[in-house]
């Protein structure tokens, strides 16, 4: 689709499994002050952001809502060891369908990078999902979190670098 993914570091864990994390330099693109949220509160999201979510129990993170009520969600389930990107009811074009993407990996921490229509989900430091999510003008990009009792959500707007 003529798009590049976020830079990342790939190496191997001591147990021989793949390790993949966003390049640390991406943190230089974060706005000076983070935004945080808590379960039950809705927070508007900028067009580009870097979001980290940690949870000890099943947690649902809603990122986008369409005018029809469809939602784009990420579900962390540490007990099951899964993270699900659920865009099943998100309007899509093309024949590929929109079944949820389920990844089996340690599911207590995810980092979500969004830049326009590009969404990248880093699951722990073990797996990634890259997806294109096209927004319509009447869609609402907002963060809503529900679920367990121990949830930490911190995000930063991604901004263009400045000179010195």
């Amino acid at each position: 689709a003529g798009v590049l993914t976020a830079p990342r570091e790939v190496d191997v864990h001591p147990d021989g499994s793949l390790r993949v994390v966003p390049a640390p330099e991406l943190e230089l693109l974060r706005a000076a002050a983070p935004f945080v949220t808590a379960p039950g509160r809705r927070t508007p999201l900028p067009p580009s952001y870097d979001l980290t979510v940690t949870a000890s129990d099943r947690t649902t993170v809603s990122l986008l809502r369409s005018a029809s009520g469809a939602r784009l969600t990420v579900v962390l389930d540490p007990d099951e060891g899964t993270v699900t990107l659920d865009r099943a009811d998100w309007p899509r074009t093309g024949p590929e369908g929109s079944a949820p993407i389920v990844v089996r990996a340690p599911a207590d921490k995810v980092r979500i990078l969004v830049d326009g229509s590009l969404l990248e989900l880093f699951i722990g430091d073990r797996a990634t999902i890259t997806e294109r999510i096209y927004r319509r003008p009447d869609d609402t990009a907002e963060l809503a979190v529900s679920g367990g009792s121990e949830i930490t959500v911190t995000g930063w707007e991604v901004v263009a670098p400045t000179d010195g």
Side-chain angles (χ1 to χ4, degrees):
V3 66
L4 297 173
T5 60
R8 57 194 74 198
E9 291 184 350
V10 179
D11 60 12
V12 179
H13 283 281
D15 67 5
S17 62
L18 185 67
R19 178 181 174 273
V20 59
V21 294
E25 292 83 359
L26 289 172
E27 294 178 13
L28 299 173
L29 300 176
R30 291 175 172 175
F35 59 86
V36 296
T37 193
R41 188 170 51 175
R42 295 185 185 278
T43 303
L45 289 169
S48 297
Y49 56 90
D50 181 344
L51 183 69
T52 300
V53 180
T54 57
S56 60
D57 300 314
R58 183 179 170 91
T59 300
T60 300
V61 180
S62 176
L63 301 172
L64 195 57
R65 182 170 40 93
S66 73
S68 67
R71 292 187 182 276
L72 174 70
T73 60
V74 176
V75 180
L76 291 74
D77 194 333
D79 293 334
E80 291 291 322
T82 60
V83 173
T84 304
L85 175 60
D86 189 354
R87 74 254 193 272
D89 60 355
W90 192 257
R92 291 177 59 103
T93 59
E96 68 273 6
S98 55
I101 298 170
V102 180
V103 175
R104 290 198 142 310
D108 58 342
K109 182 177 181 179
V110 297
R111 186 164 167 195
I112 303 166
L113 300 175
V114 173
D115 187 8
S117 65
L118 185 66
L119 178 141
E120 295 197 80
L121 180 61
F122 290 82
I123 302 161
D125 58 359
R126 303 275 177 162
T128 64
I129 299 171
T130 300
E131 191 68 14
R132 296 293 297 269
I133 306 294
Y134 296 100
R135 292 190 264 188
R136 296 190 171 111
D138 56 350
D139 291 341
T140 304
E142 64 183 8
L143 175 62
V145 179
S146 62
S149 57
E150 295 180 33
I151 303 169
T152 303
V153 181
T154 306
W156 295 265
E157 182 174 8
V158 173
V159 296
T162 58
D163 292 332

